[in-house]
Amino acid sequence: MKTMRLMAATLSLLLCFGVLGVVSDVSNHRYKPNDEVPLYANKVGPFHNPSETYRYFDLPYCSPAPVKDKSEALGEILNGDRLVDAPYKLEFCVDHDSKSACKKKLTKEEVVKFRNAIYQDYYFQMYYDDLPVWGFIGKIDKEGKTDPSEYRYFLYNHILFEILHNNDHVIEISVHTDTNLMVDITEDKDIEVEFMYSVKWKETEIPFEKRMEKYSARHLETHWFSIINSCATVLLLTGFLATILMRVLKNDFVKYAHNEETGDDQEETGWKYVHGDVFRFPKNKSLLAASLGSGTQLFALAIFVFVLALVGVFYPYNRGALFTALVVIYALTSGIAGYTATSFYWQLEGTNWIRNLLLTGFLFCGPLFLTFCFLNTVAIAYNATAALPFGTIVVIALIWALITSPLLVLGGIAGKNGKAEFQAPCRTTKYPREIPPLPWYRRTIPQMAMAGFLPFSAIYIELYYILASMWGHRIYTIYSILFVVFIILLIVTAFISVAMTYFQLAAEDHEWWWRAFLCGGSTGFFIYAYCFCYYHTRLNMSGFMQISFFFGYMACICYGFFLMLGTVGFCASLLFVRHIYRSIKCE
């Protein structure tokens, strides 16, 4: 009871401070002429390195005194957003023509800083009435020059804002740069720069409810066609294999039933031959139970996130909503992991359930924490916005200590007290049978390769769009297609795991437990291998920070897929094994 009160108090505290992203600025987005509409400068960074972003005023722009940071929710901070008041004032329906924002004398060091940023193709991002806007900070003149030392560097010092409005709502904003008003910063010398801006308002008939549609994915018909084509191919292959498997099983049932009716004393062969060993508990059963618990939690996390996505919570540029949902839902579903792991561990006649519970809690969080520590240290060294402030780290630690851990323990206690028994239709013999020598293609690694390829082929097209959204500047919004692909992934993973389990038992190899989990989760290795291919063919990233972020966090994501799909494959195989041995007389 004391733990429950402590959890409730923590949730209330987090909600009061807006940490969970529930509390935000109350605004109906309606303005009158001359009203000041909030404009926030967010971040700057190399265009080809989306994770390497810095605070807007890390570049020597004119900054207000003092710089006012906007209060942000947990998800926004995790997303690397660091909003501050911009140096431009854009009143509602008020045009400006070459208005001065400020004048600043740039030192040689500041000129070099701007020039290096232009060389790396830096862009800036701002938010105007929660609408994102981007622009480049300068350009390089390479025309007619082959020697890089002859390039000319120009800083844009005049920005043109074009804003569309519908009555009292801001609908759209775009940024243009005046190429006739630039400052040459090629030479290392002090220079005085006047930063100016112009504002032009126009009327539009686009309703306020549809102002985010411009950021949604385009070419939807082509997207659907590609997905349907891929899924149709996979389903045809799956149906073909399913037909063969069902016919083979039917023949097995008929043969075994005939032998029982005729009293044939010939030696049993095939999967029935190992009926006395097929339900023998596996080695490292605590690790298997912990893997199933973590995989079940990640599966529940995916389902809840899909529900929120399908009801429209993650609309384009709802800053930090996805990260907030991932943190909160993962914390609240930890009880599922504790219950599943401990319950299954007790069914396997395990005794040290506390150690099993600790293993469950750290199986996914442990590698994720170590990866985060390394990458956050890299971000701190780069002084990038991806580096989490100390206060945010404390909040995440409190969520883990006061919500995740207690729920994990409560789920473990519930699983222990459930006292469920393992349902085995066949009795296990005292001594295990010797497994006959198997050809190389029936061993674990080749089986994992065969089992992972088919599910991966069902998602690789959609995976391209997801990676383009995660590590590029595209916005993913077609969650309905993604959900369909996810369901097909689960179905194909379950089926291929069942097929591999049958072939293993037919070869009289009764150690199927871990093989079923590994075959189901092997798709995660294919996804990570695809990340290498995507990096070398589709991305122009550079620098240690961006590369370490890409491969570090993708490794964690693929590891999560391994646990989740491994759980799906194992559960499907367990149901299948129970079904076929329940259908024949084994004693």
Side-chain angles (χ1 to χ4, degrees):
M1 193 66 184
K2 183 178 180 181
T3 303
M4 295 298 292
R5 287 197 299 268
L6 186 60
M7 290 167 54
T10 304
L11 277 172
S12 301
L13 182 63
L14 294 174
L15 291 173
C16 287
F17 283 97
V19 169
L20 300 184
V22 177
V23 179
S24 61
D25 293 338
V26 178
S27 174
N28 56 12
H29 297 279
R30 294 182 181 274
Y31 303 97
K32 298 178 182 178
N34 296 311
D35 280 355
E36 186 173 335
V37 184
L39 174 65
Y40 296 105
N42 187 15
K43 49 192 176 183
V44 295
F47 182 78
H48 297 295
N49 291 355
S51 297
E52 187 183 344
T53 56
Y54 305 94
R55 292 177 177 271
Y56 181 80
F57 290 117
D58 282 352
L59 289 180
Y61 283 112
C62 295
S63 59
V67 177
K68 296 181 180 179
D69 293 330
K70 181 182 181 297
S71 60
E72 295 169 314
L74 174 62
E76 294 177 282
I77 298 176
L78 294 176
N79 194 40
D81 292 330
R82 303 292 187 270
L83 275 66
V84 297
D85 288 338
Y88 310 105
K89 302 299 180 184
L90 278 58
E91 298 88 356
F92 188 74
C93 287
V94 177
D95 291 345
H96 293 293
D97 186 17
S98 299
K99 184 176 180 180
S100 178
C102 69
K103 291 183 179 180
K104 182 174 183 180
K105 186 174 182 179
L106 300 178
T107 64
K108 294 179 182 179
E109 293 76 14
E110 292 174 335
V111 168
V112 171
K113 198 168 187 178
F114 266 125
R115 191 166 61 242
N116 290 336
I118 295 173
Y119 177 77
Q120 297 180 54
D121 210 15
Y122 265 49
Y123 73 99
F124 66 82
Q125 183 190 47
M126 298 182 181
Y127 281 96
Y128 185 65
D129 192 39
D130 289 336
L131 291 173
V133 59
W134 303 267
F136 287 97
I137 70 170
K139 75 168 188 176
I140 305 176
D141 182 13
K142 302 180 181 180
E143 187 176 354
K145 303 176 182 67
T146 57
D147 187 356
S149 63
E150 298 178 353
Y151 292 165
R152 308 294 296 178
Y153 294 84
F154 295 93
L155 173 66
Y156 295 137
N157 66 317
H158 186 216
I159 298 178
L160 172 61
F161 294 95
E162 290 189 356
I163 309 174
L164 302 181
H165 71 99
N166 186 341
N167 294 325
D168 54 357
H169 282 128
V170 177
I171 303 299
E172 185 177 326
I173 182 172
S174 59
V175 164
H176 305 279
T177 50
D178 192 342
T179 56
N180 296 319
L181 294 174
M182 300 183 296
V183 178
D184 190 338
I185 58 171
T186 306
E187 300 179 6
D188 293 341
K189 63 179 182 179
D190 295 350
I191 185 172
E192 187 171 352
V193 178
E194 182 178 12
F195 292 95
M196 300 181 295
Y197 66 102
S198 300
V199 185
K200 190 173 183 180
W201 288 83
K202 294 181 181 179
E203 185 81 22
T204 182
E205 295 182 356
I206 301 176
F208 175 78
E209 293 75 16
K210 295 184 178 181
R211 71 174 188 164
M212 287 293 181
E213 288 187 357
K214 66 168 291 187
Y215 306 106
S216 301
R218 300 175 183 176
H219 307 295
L220 187 58
E221 295 80 5
T222 304
H223 196 85
W224 266 112
F225 177 77
S226 300
I227 295 302
I228 292 174
N229 179 61
S230 176
C231 293
T233 303
V234 171
L235 290 178
L236 285 174
L237 291 173
T238 304
F240 178 71
L241 292 175
T243 302
I244 294 177
L245 184 60
M246 292 305 294
R247 293 190 65 178
V248 170
L249 274 175
K250 183 178 180 181
N251 292 335
D252 287 346
F253 288 142
V254 171
K255 181 181 69 173
Y256 293 147
H258 176 73
N259 291 341
E260 291 167 1
E261 291 175 0
T262 59
D264 197 346
D265 293 333
Q266 66 181 8
E267 185 180 2
E268 295 177 347
T269 58
W271 54 269
K272 187 181 178 183
Y273 179 67
V274 295
H275 65 82
D277 299 275
V278 71
F279 293 106
R280 188 180 305 279
F281 296 151
K283 301 176 182 177
N284 301 315
K285 53 189 176 183
S286 180
L287 179 59
L288 178 61
S291 301
L292 294 176
S294 297
T296 305
Q297 180 185 8
L298 293 173
F299 177 76
L301 171 66
I303 294 299
F304 282 120
V305 168
F306 270 118
V307 170
L308 294 178
L310 293 175
V311 299
V313 173
F314 306 134
Y315 59 85
Y317 291 101
N318 184 7
R319 295 191 304 272
L322 178 59
F323 286 100
T324 301
L326 290 174
V327 172
V328 174
I329 296 176
Y330 184 83
L332 297 178
T333 55
S334 59
I336 297 176
Y339 178 84
T340 303
T342 306
S343 176
F344 190 74
Y345 182 64
W346 274 87
Q347 291 182 42
L348 300 183
E349 298 178 356
T351 55
N352 197 343
W353 68 278
I354 296 179
R355 185 179 64 180
N356 175 254
L357 203 59
L358 292 174
L359 181 61
T360 304
F362 285 96
L363 191 62
F364 180 73
C365 288
L368 181 63
F369 174 74
L370 294 177
T371 303
F372 162 76
C373 289
F374 172 72
L375 296 181
N376 199 61
T377 302
V378 173
I380 292 174
Y382 275 73
N383 197 28
T385 60
L388 297 188
F390 178 75
T392 303
I393 297 176
V394 171
V395 168
I396 295 177
L398 287 175
I399 292 176
W400 188 85
L402 301 179
I403 300 178
T404 304
S405 298
L407 289 179
L408 180 70
V409 173
L410 291 176
I413 294 174
K416 172 181 176 295
N417 295 333
K419 297 180 180 179
E421 295 184 359
F422 186 81
Q423 301 297 323
C426 301
R427 287 185 296 189
T428 301
T429 58
K430 186 175 182 181
Y431 300 104
R433 293 181 181 271
E434 183 179 356
I435 300 175
L438 300 176
W440 66 269
Y441 57 84
R442 288 189 180 275
R443 295 176 182 173
T444 302
I445 301 299
Q447 292 285 294
M448 289 176 62
M450 289 185 283
F453 176 76
L454 191 59
F456 173 76
S457 64
I459 65 171
Y460 82 96
I461 293 180
E462 200 66 16
L463 190 60
Y464 165 78
Y465 293 99
I466 296 174
L467 291 179
S469 174
M470 292 175 59
W471 303 102
H473 300 281
R474 297 186 180 184
I475 303 302
Y476 194 94
T477 57
I478 317 176
Y479 299 109
S480 56
I481 293 180
L482 185 60
F483 183 68
V484 171
V485 173
F486 180 72
I487 296 299
I488 292 178
L489 172 65
L490 297 180
I491 295 173
V492 176
T493 299
F495 170 78
I496 201 68
S497 298
V498 167
M500 291 299 172
T501 299
Y502 171 78
F503 295 143
Q504 182 181 359
L505 295 177
E508 300 177 8
D509 182 0
H510 54 80
E511 295 181 349
W512 61 274
W513 302 73
W514 273 109
R515 180 77 64 84
F517 187 91
L518 294 174
C519 286
S522 59
T523 305
F525 294 101
F526 277 86
I527 297 176
Y528 198 58
Y530 178 79
C531 291
F532 283 87
C533 177
Y534 183 84
Y535 173 81
H536 287 289
T537 59
R538 298 289 183 178
L539 298 177
N540 295 315
M541 294 179 178
S542 61
F544 178 74
M545 175 184 170
Q546 182 63 49
I547 295 174
S548 60
F549 265 64
F550 179 82
F551 289 107
Y553 281 126
M554 286 309 303
C556 292
I557 293 173
C558 293
Y559 177 54
F561 267 95
F562 170 76
L563 293 175
M564 180 181 68
L565 296 179
T567 300
V568 172
F570 175 82
C571 292
S573 297
L574 179 59
L575 292 174
F576 169 76
V577 172
R578 281 173 172 168
H579 172 73
I580 62 174
Y581 283 96
R582 190 181 292 115
S583 302
I584 61 173
K585 184 177 179 181
C586 297
E587 304 301 336

